[in-house]
Amino acid sequence: MFSQTFRSLWRNKLSSFLSSLTTGFALFLLGTSFLVSINLGYMYQMAESQMEIQAYMNKEASDAELAAAVTQIRDMPGVSEVKFVSKEAALEELKDMFKDKASVLDSLEEDSPLPPSVRVNTTGAEQIPVVVEALKSIDVINDVIYQEEVSERLAQIGKAVQYLSLGGMLIVGIVAVMVIANSIRLAIDARRQEIGIMKLVGATDGFVLMPFLLEGVFLGLLGSALGTGFAVGVYNWVAGKIAEFIPFMPIVGLETQSIQEMFGIMALTGVIVGLTGSAFSVRRHLRV
Amino acid sequence: MISFRNVSKVYNGSVKALNGVSLHIDKGEFVFAVGASGAGKSTLIKMIYREETPSGGQVFVLGKDLAKMRRREVPYFRRRIGVVFQDFKLLEHKNAWENVSFALEVTGTSRREINRRVSQALNLVGLLDRREAFPNELSGGEQQRIAIARALVRNPDILLADEPTGNLDPKTSMEIFSLLERANLYGTTVVVATHAQDIVNNLRKRVVELRDGTLVRDERRGAYSC
Ligand SMILES: Nc1ncnc2c1ncn2[C@@H]1O[C@H](COP(=O)(O)OP(=O)(O)OP(=O)(O)O)[C@@H](O)[C@H]1O
Ligand SMILES: [Mg+2]
């Protein structure tokens, strides 16, 4: 049965080749949309992780009080990272910023005029308002500073990005499925005489269908390999160009795992569409 | 073996191809179906292996009422009938050997048995040495003979041939008819639609004549025309 499938693929090599190329191209689009969506997610995460809340604390508070507050903050839900900046450290940072104008700050050597603070990162932009409220309720904290508008916008964008990339992948997925199904249909329509002859010679529907199903699976796999290959190649090329011209733009480096995931999605799409597409297309010609 | 009871066939709701045909063919008979082009010969043949179903009347073949036959029974029924189609219907992507062996593969015959019977059938039609050739590499007569080998390879109960010598020279035509006669000698019921006047006149078999879809003559040891 398998050798027959390969022989048939080989003898119909032009149409097999075109079908797998079409499948590959359709899946390439799907893969590209998958990669774009990974990157949008990544960019959003980067932006999110840079959203920092600064909580300024009472200058007079004792070290023990400060330490207790930091522990309390660490345990808050929605908090991912807490960095304590002591009075002295704050002064060092300030000096660092103005190191060419050191003289201005020399007088401050003795006692730091700056309050100690904590810098808090949240697990997501939507957590920021909650965490801010919780911080404000802590005694030793005098003032909480964060980019209110930016964080709200970011939370909105985050949702939009999720929906958009999901919707985009869905649309591209549907288009890919239609393109693949259509190419299979054309390839099988071209062989409807063959199917009719098989039936007239006494083949059962299953017997006629089987090799077409195997071909469908095989073309689906071949197409998804091609599609993954194209997508990874193009992606790496584009990522290289971007890194060259816009060095600060965050781009996800492709790991083996995401390539495998992508191939998985494509192979699944390719094989399912290959199978059902072949089955439906052949069925139309079986009534002889 | 084959029985038509008042059979009519109307194509597309208007073209009347057969009109009240009643006909009985016994096991082991050899029958010529003759008549002008468009008289309904091919339609008659197609009804026997159920490529077409009657618009009216009943067709019984191999003890079965074809109108009552279920769709899934049809393949098994067709395996008992060998058909040589007017347009050969060979598979373009299969070579001569594969075209013939295919008829056995569909029945799930063992590989060894297939090899034995396919070489026998190809030998019978004199094309064993062309077994690797694809249909487009074979002459019309050779394709015709491959089609006959495919029809005979299953030792069918009934052999149907629709103009098996369509555009062949007299000598090749004669060879093909002797193949059909040979199959008939072994007990296969043979029905041949043909325009080959000389051969019908020479062989003196049963002749049924159609005219515009109506059976106008049924003669034992008949001639092409009366
Ligand atoms: N599939 C079809 N659809 C519509 N009309 C058809 C179809 N097949 C045959 N006919 C018509 O039915 C009539 C009988 O056709 P049929 O093929 O049985 O004739 P025939 O005797 O075999 O002719 P020929 O000697 O040319 O092969 C013709 O008028 C033909 O046009
Ligand atoms: Mg005809």
Side-chain angles (χ1 to χ4, degrees), chain A residues 9 13 38 49 114 137 176 179 197 208 243 287:
Chain A
L9 282 168
K13 48 187 171 292
I38 291 186
S49 71
L114 300 169
S137 70
V179 168
I197 294 172
V208 176
R287 297 201 156 266

Side-chain angles (χ1 to χ4, degrees), chain A residues 140-160:
Chain A
V140 289
I141 290 178
N142 287 346
D143 199 6
V144 180
I145 292 178
Y146 72 105
Q147 287 162 296
E148 188 172 358
E149 261 181 40
V150 177
S151 84
E152 269 167 23
R153 287 306 291 269
L154 205 56
Q156 284 169 359
I157 290 172
K159 277 220 182 74

Side-chain angles (χ1 to χ4, degrees), chain B residues 38 40-43 86 162-163 193 195:
Chain B
K41 305 181 295 295
S42 294
T43 305
Q86 189 161 8
D162 195 351
E163 264 165 78
H195 292 289

